[in-house]
Structures are given as structure tokens and as C-alpha cells.
Amino acid sequence: YIEPQKKEIEKSLLSKTEITETVSTNPTKYIQYLKWQNNGVVFVKATDKGQMLVLIPTVENNAVSWQCIGSPDLWVPPKCRGT
């Protein structure tokens, strides 16, 4: 549900163009709050159990990888747990 935003951020990071800091407070079925900063970091609050995710992009060798930090562990994707 946040893949389109991640792709746009990746495109901006790789082309070294400005990322506009944005907050989306238009809830969807799964996302209550979505914000991304001008450095590409994405904050997500889910609607289901109040899960919070922070996605941190890193550019290396002309590719973007994402670190995910989330809470509570029980309700976030496995790659976001316990970091």
C-alpha cells in the first residue's frame, strides 16, 4: 500500500532530485497516516492495530535498499521486527 510512494522516493534519490516532505492524513482501509520527509524516510501508522513503521532508505551502488523498524512486533512484517 506504500509501494507507489517508495518507488517515487527511490526515483528521486537515484536521480538526486528533491523529495517534497508530505503528510497524507487521508485514511485508507490499511493506513491511517503516511508521511515522508525530504530525506526519504517514511513513517506509516496502520489502522488495524495501531502499528507504526519507519522505512529508512539507503543508496549504495546506484540502488536503494530499505531498512524497516516497526512496533508492536506481533503486528508488523517480520523484516521490521526487533530492530
Side-chain angles (χ1 to χ4, degrees), residues 14-83:
L14 292 173
S15 65
K16 297 184 171 125
T17 57
E18 184 176 352
I19 299 170
T20 303
E21 188 168 311
T22 305
V23 176
S24 173
T25 55
N26 296 326
T28 67
K29 181 177 179 182
Y30 300 103
I31 297 175
Q32 178 180 351
Y33 172 89
L34 178 65
K35 174 184 179 179
W36 54 95
Q37 298 179 321
N38 59 3
N39 61 0
V41 174
V42 179
F43 298 88
V44 182
K45 181 171 183 181
T47 56
D48 184 28
K49 307 250 189 287
Q51 305 93 315
M52 289 293 300
L53 298 176
V54 179
L55 304 168
I56 305 164
T58 302
V59 178
E60 189 174 331
N61 298 323
N62 206 31
V64 178
S65 61
W66 292 88
Q67 175 188 8
C68 181
I69 301 168
S71 180
D73 277 353
L74 183 61
W75 302 111
V76 298
K79 65 182 178 182
C80 301
R81 297 178 186 164
T83 56

Side-chain angles (χ1 to χ4, degrees), residues 4-20:
Q5 291 82 5
K6 284 176 60 180
K7 294 294 179 199
E8 285 299 313
I9 290 168
E10 289 174 5
K11 186 173 149 184
S12 294
L13 289 170
L14 292 173
S15 65
K16 297 184 171 125
T17 57
E18 184 176 352
I19 299 170
T20 303

